[in-house]
Amino acid sequence: MAKRNLLTRRDFIKAAGIGAVAMGAAPTIFLPRQAHGASKELKILVWSHFVPRFDKEWYDGYVQKWGEANGVKVTVDHINLAEIPSRTAAEVSAGQGHDLIEWIAPPSQFEPSVLDLGDVVKEAEKRYGKQHPLCRGSSYNPNTKKFYSFCPGWTIDPGCYRKSLWEKAGKGSGPETWEDLITYGGKIKKDQGIQLGIGLSQELDSNMAARGLLWSYDSSIQDKKENVVLNNPKTIEAVSYMARLFKESMVPEVFAWTAVSNNQALIAGRASYILNSISAYRSAQQQVPEIAKDIFFTPALKGPRGTRFNSEHVIYCYVVPKYSKNVDSAKKFLLDLVGNYDQAMHKSELYNSPAFFDAPIPSGDRGYPAVKGAKKLIDLHNAWFSDDPFALPGEEKGKLAVLKDAEKWSANLGYPGPANPAEGEVFATFVLPNMMANAARGMKAELAVEQAELLTKTIFAKWRKKGLVGGKS
Amino acid sequence: MSGQPVSNLAVDGARGGLLDREGALAKLMIAPAILYIVAMIGVPFVLAVLYSLSDATTGDPSLNFVGLRNFTAALEDPVFRLSLWNTVFFTLASQCIVVLLSRLLATALLKTFRGKWLVRFLIMLPWTAPISLGTIGWLWMLDSIFSPIDWVLRYVGLLGAPDALLGAGTNLYYLGIPGLAISSIILVDVWRILPLATVIQLAGLSSIPKDLLEAAEVDGASPWRRTLMITIPLTLPITSIAFLFGVVFTFTDLVVVYVLTRGGPVHMTQVLSSWTFFKGIEGGDLAQGAAISLFMFPVLAAVAILILRMARRTEVV
C-alpha cells in the first residue's frame, strides 16, 4: 500500500502563514513605490448625476480644466449613488482610495475617519458669504464641533402635480395643505381614476416624504439637542393622517416603490401628485412633452397648524478621508467649486441649488446666456426659477417660481437638530416610512409610532456611546 | 524509449525530481486553493468575528471589545428575528419547489423529443445570466405600473374590469402586497436555482443502470413502483446534494431581495444578508452587521458538512 502524503496541521498552518505574508508583501515587492511630492494628484469619487449632461457636459470637463490651471493631475470616478456608502467604507477600511468623496446624504458616520473641513467652510464664508443653515446642518457636528464634510450645494424637493387633473377636481392651483391631498387627491382618484404617489416603501423618496409630513405636523425624530422626541401626539396625528391618505388617494403600489417609481408614475400619467425634485419634470420634458407641460409645482404642504417643511432632496457633501495625501489640492478644489457653482446650477438644469447664495458670479463667458443684472448666485436662482431657461417651447412661464423661496421651507435630515449618524441609521433602516406604512396597512397609529420609537431610541443610544450624537434620551 | 539520448534522460530526471515527489507536488498543487481560501474566506471570516465583538463602525473600524453585546442586540431586534425567519422560510420553500421541478425537468430531458436542445437551452438560460441582471428583469416583470404580466392579464380580461377574476384594479402590485412579495421572492429564487438542480438531477438519473429499470419493467413493476423503489432511492444522495447546494445559494443571497424589494414592504421580505447590508454598510454599524451575518454561519457550516458527507457516500456508491 502506498504511503499517503497528507498535509499535517502544522504543515497547513506553515503554508497558510507563508502564503498570507507573501500576499501581503507582494505589492511592496513588485509595485514601484510612488514618489511623494513628485507631482500633484487628486482623485475624486462622485455619484453619477441624475441629469446626465451635468457630468458629460460640465463636471468632468470643469475638473480637467481646474486640474490644468492648478497643475494637478485629476481623476474623476463616477459611481451609482447606491454604491457610495459601501465604497467609502471599503476605502476607509483599506486606508487608501480617493482624496475627495462626494456623498448625496450627510456622511456623519464617517466623522472619525475624515478630516475636519472647518477651515474650508471658514474660508468659503469669507469669500462667498454665509453658508445656508440646511447645508451647515448636514455637514457639522455640534457635539464634536467638527465639519466632517463640506457642502457646496443641495437639491430642492417640491411637490409636482398634474394641473389638468387638479383643475377638474376644482383646485387648479394645486394642493396647499396635506389635507388637500385627501380632499382633492381623493376626488381625482375616485372621479378620474388617477391616484397620487407618496412612497411608503424602503427607499429614499419615501424616507424624505415621511420626514416632510412629520415636520409639517410640528413633530420630528429628535429635538434641537438631539433627544429622541418621536413618540408624541403630533406624530400620532401625522401617522393617522397618512393612513387616511393611503385609503382615500393611493393604491398599494407605493409599498413597492423604488427611488425612480414616483418619477415613472408621473411621466406615465399615473400620478396626480408626487413629492420629488424637478428631475421627474425634466425627464418628462424629454420623453412625454405633453405630460411635462401639464406638470406644475407646489412648495412644501402646510400641516394642520400652518407649519410646512420638506426635506432637501439631495445634499452634496464632500469628505476628505484622513488617508489622503493631497489635502491642499482637495481643499482648493472645494473652494473653487463654490466659486463656479453658477455653472453647476445651469448645467444641472436647475437641479442643483447653491449652499452659498451670496457667492459672486465670475465675469466672462460662463457657458450660458448672461442674466441681466445678476451679480450673485441668488440673482441667478431667482431669475432662472422665474423664467426657466429649459422650458419647452410654448410651455407656461413661471412654473418654477414657487421654488424661489425653497430655502425657507426646506430642512436638513435631522431637523430641528443636525444630521448625525443616528439619524443616518434611522434613515438607512427605513424606520419612518415603515412607521407610516404600518399604519397605512391597518396598524394602530399609536402602536406604529411606539415600535418606531423603540428602534430609534436603540439606534440613538448606540451612537451616543460613540460620542457622535448629543442629547440624553 | 531506447532511442532517447542519455543526456536528455538526465535532464528530465532533474526536472522530474520535484514532480516525482508526491508530497511536495501535492502541497504545490493545493497551495493556490489554500491561499485563495485564506485570503477570500478565512480573513474576512476572522474579521467578521472580530468586528462582531467590537463597536466598529464604517467610519471607525477600530476594534474596541464589547463582548457579545452585538449578538444580544440583534436578538432583541424584531427586524432581525423576522429576517431570520424569512431566510429559513424562503430557502426551504424555494428549494422544495426546486427539487420537485428539477426532477420533472430532468426526467423530461432524458427522453428524446423534437426541440430538446431548445428546451435545454431555455432551462439553462437563468444560470448563464448574471443574477443581478436577471433579477432586474424580474423587477420589470413585476413592476407596479408597467408589468407585462399585468398587461397580459388585462388583455385576457382577468384583471382591470369590474367583474374580472383578479379584481378591478389595473395592476396586482406584486411587490407591494406582503403575500405576493414573498411569493415573488420565492419564485425568483426558484427560477435562479432550477437550472443547476436540473443538471445535477439529470446526472443522477443518467447514472442509474438501464438494465435495472428494464428488469423491473419485465417483472411487471409499474412506472410509479419503479420510481419509488429504484429511481428515488438511487438518486437520493445526488438529489440531496442539489438541495443542499440550493440551500447555500439561497440562504446567503442578497441580490434577489435587494433588487426586488429592499426587504419591503415593511421588512416583510427582509432576509439576513440584506439586513446585514442595511445595518452594517448603509446604516454604518459595522459591528452589528457582522454579528447579524454570523448568524448564518452555523446553518452554512452544517450544510457544508452534510454536503461533504453526501459526496463521500456517493463516491463509495
Side-chain angles (χ1 to χ4, degrees), chain A residues 113 202 270 425 462 466, chain B residues 55 59 171 262 267 279 285:
Chain A
S113 299
Q202 304 199 158
R270 292 281 298 271
E425 191 177 332
K462 185 177 64 187
K466 298 283 283 181
Chain B
D55 64 350
N171 293 79
R262 293 173 65 87
H267 294 304
K279 264 289 194 198
D285 191 347

Side-chain angles (χ1 to χ4, degrees), chain B residues 6 70 91 94 120 137 141 144 169 173 181 211 236 277-278 295 311:
Chain B
V6 178
N70 291 309
T91 303
S94 61
R120 219 160 28 193
M141 297 281 281
S144 57
Y173 312 118
D211 51 354
L236 192 60
F277 182 74
F278 288 127
F295 277 91

Side-chain angles (χ1 to χ4, degrees), chain A residues 53 267 278 280-297 349-350 384 387-400:
Chain A
R53 63 177 288 212
I267 295 167
I278 59 169
Y281 164 62
R282 293 291 187 223
S283 303
Q285 282 180 312
Q286 288 178 1
Q287 295 166 25
V288 202
E290 62 275 20
I291 294 274
K293 287 176 182 173
D294 194 32
I295 295 173
F296 284 71
F297 302 90
E349 298 174 357
L350 312 189
W384 283 338
D387 187 5
D388 179 11
F390 303 99
L392 294 171
E395 203 170 357
E396 193 174 310
K397 281 189 183 279
K399 282 167 72 168
L400 297 175

